[in-house]
Amino acid sequence: MQLDIVVAFFLLGVLTHLVRSDIQFPRSLYQSLTLFLLIAIGLKGGVALREHADISLAPQAIAVILLGLVLPLIAFPLLSRIGQLSRDDSAAIAAHYGSVSVGTYAVAVAILESRQIPYEAYFPLFVVLLEMPAIAVGLALARKADSGLDRGKLLHEMFCNQGVVLMSGALLIGYWAGAGVAPIMPLFGDLFHGVLALFLLEMGIVAARRLPDIRQVAPFMSAFGVLMPLIGAALGGALALVLGFSTGGVALLAALGGSASYIAVPAVMRAALPQANHGLSIAASLGITFPFNVLVGIPLYISGAAWLTTATG
Amino acid sequence: MTNTQLIFSLGSGMALMVAGLALAVSGIADWGLFWTGAIVSSLTMATQLRQRGTSATFKAARLQPATARVDH
């Protein structure tokens, strides 16, 4: 198993929890690392977008949005019919699995860069686009459209959460500045892998802490938490192949399709579906799917993408 | 754990093991998927066995007073 250096820090985080080492990660530091990653990814994507912005991006963007609409529709029946979870729980979890994880994307980018595999650097645009459709589908599945919910608040959470605002903001700044971002890149470019390692250390601790939350439905949720990312990754990878992406691009869209949100969607779902079991959604997303993607999924998506792009010429 | 959940979890675990084995043997990927399937299958079987054990103990405990009365 080829273990990337940043992933090793994730394992260290899990280990520190297992041996009950008293590592306290300040909440504000975790927030700062998240903000850093969102800005770094957005900036880099914006600069790349400036070089590649043309009409050919429109069908790609539409296809990616469609992917975000389809994924929760696949997850929902699995959760409600097979998992026999309540409608609200199923809709909330389906929305998490239809949306994306910036952390997973960052790890995928780090591994691609360490293996020197080229990819379409404007992918952060797709990360932003994939954040929202699943939330809308999740709410429609929960049939909450006319329940007297504060739509203004909901739309605000959907479009103005920190992930969407910071990443789209940084994307726009990168697009506008182009090579002008150079003075700030020693912080947001050179330190990216180091900050990601710190972020993953904390995520390892959080993931290990979250696992007991799914004890009551552990076998089903562990199977779902592994199978659903593979379905999403297969769809994302297939879509990327059809769209003509490079090997790195196929791996990245597979990683995005296979990831589950744990930042933006939980905030929206808490506001929209207060009666759903949000601990279950977060535990599945953070305790099962994120570790699976980091340790097994992303290397698998990269190997699969390399094999597929070679096989299809 | 319901029967549907059991079948889904065990089936998924087995399917992941088979897919992981195929990918690893053909050299496309490493053994990660295979071991993931093994963990999912083992977890499912362990939970099922524990539930059966608990259920059997519960039934035995419920029968205990009746048996005691007959012995008496």
Side-chain angles (χ1 to χ4, degrees), chain A residues 1-2 78 81-85 216-224 226-227 230 292 295-296 299-300 303-304 307, chain B residues 1-2 4-5 8-10 12-13 15-16 23 28-33 36-37 39-40 43-44 47-48 50-51:
Chain A
M1 192 181 204
Q2 195 181 349
L78 288 177
R81 289 189 192 160
I82 297 173
Q84 295 175 0
L85 300 179
Q216 282 186 331
V217 278
F220 171 73
M221 283 317 291
S222 57
F224 174 82
V226 169
L227 196 67
L230 290 172
F292 168 73
L295 298 172
V296 178
L300 177 68
S303 317
W307 184 79
Chain B
M1 184 164 54
T2 64
T4 329
Q5 289 176 338
F8 175 78
S9 307
L10 207 54
S12 304
L16 291 175
L23 288 171
I28 296 172
D30 60 20
W31 288 88
L33 194 61
T36 307
I39 292 169
V40 171
L43 180 69
T44 307
T47 309
Q48 180 65 8
R50 201 169 50 234
Q51 275 186 358

Side-chain angles (χ1 to χ4, degrees), chain B residues 23-63:
Chain B
L23 288 171
V25 167
S26 58
I28 296 172
D30 60 20
W31 288 88
L33 194 61
F34 175 82
W35 290 118
T36 307
I39 292 169
V40 171
S41 305
S42 313
L43 180 69
T44 307
M45 285 176 38
T47 309
Q48 180 65 8
L49 288 175
R50 201 169 50 234
Q51 275 186 358
R52 277 193 176 187
T54 312
S55 166
T57 313
F58 180 67
K59 277 180 187 165
R62 284 180 63 187
L63 286 171

Side-chain angles (χ1 to χ4, degrees), chain A residues 253-272:
Chain A
L253 199 53
L256 287 179
S259 70
S261 171
Y262 52 82
I263 297 176
V265 178
V268 180
M269 287 296 145
R270 261 193 205 101

Side-chain angles (χ1 to χ4, degrees), chain A residues 67 71 231-241 243 245 249-250 253-258:
Chain A
L67 177 68
L71 289 176
I231 295 171
L235 284 177
L239 184 64
L241 269 181
L243 292 172
F245 287 137
V250 173
L253 199 53
L256 287 179

Side-chain angles (χ1 to χ4, degrees), chain A residues 45-64:
Chain A
V47 174
L49 195 60
R50 188 184 170 99
E51 292 162 17
H52 296 96
D54 58 46
I55 196 69
S56 70
L57 273 180
Q60 293 179 358
I62 292 167
V64 166

Side-chain angles (χ1 to χ4, degrees), chain A residues 8-85:
Chain A
F9 278 88
F10 179 80
L11 290 175
L12 178 62
V14 173
L15 184 72
T16 57
H17 181 76
L18 294 180
V19 300
R20 295 177 186 171
S21 173
D22 189 26
I23 293 183
Q24 295 292 329
F25 234 80
R27 180 81 194 144
S28 49
L29 176 60
Y30 170 69
Q31 282 286 342
S32 309
L33 296 176
T34 308
L35 299 185
F36 175 93
L37 289 176
L38 290 168
I39 294 173
I41 291 169
L43 269 179
K44 200 172 171 187
V47 174
L49 195 60
R50 188 184 170 99
E51 292 162 17
H52 296 96
D54 58 46
I55 196 69
S56 70
L57 273 180
Q60 293 179 358
I62 292 167
V64 166
I65 291 171
L66 286 176
L67 177 68
L69 292 172
V70 166
L71 289 176
L73 294 175
I74 297 171
F76 184 76
L78 288 177
L79 292 156
S80 60
R81 289 189 192 160
I82 297 173
Q84 295 175 0
L85 300 179

Side-chain angles (χ1 to χ4, degrees), chain A residues 132-222:
Chain A
M132 288 162 284
I135 298 174
V137 175
L139 294 179
L141 287 170
R143 292 185 183 152
K144 292 291 167 188
D146 298 312
S147 61
L149 193 76
D150 185 349
R151 285 190 185 181
K153 189 182 172 194
L154 198 63
L155 287 173
H156 182 265
E157 285 286 354
M158 268 175 80
F159 293 101
C160 301
N161 65 70
Q162 66 165 11
V164 170
V165 169
L166 270 182
M167 207 188 283
S168 12
L171 199 77
L172 287 173
I173 291 173
Y175 180 80
W176 163 72
V181 299
I184 55 169
M185 285 324 268
L187 174 64
F188 290 109
D190 299 350
L191 295 182
F192 180 77
H193 288 245
V195 172
L196 183 60
L198 268 178
F199 175 80
L200 286 176
L201 177 67
E202 163 68 354
M203 292 303 285
I205 299 170
V206 173
R209 205 183 288 150
R210 284 286 182 182
L211 261 183
D213 295 352
I214 55 159
R215 202 176 292 143
Q216 282 186 331
V217 278
F220 171 73
M221 283 317 291
S222 57

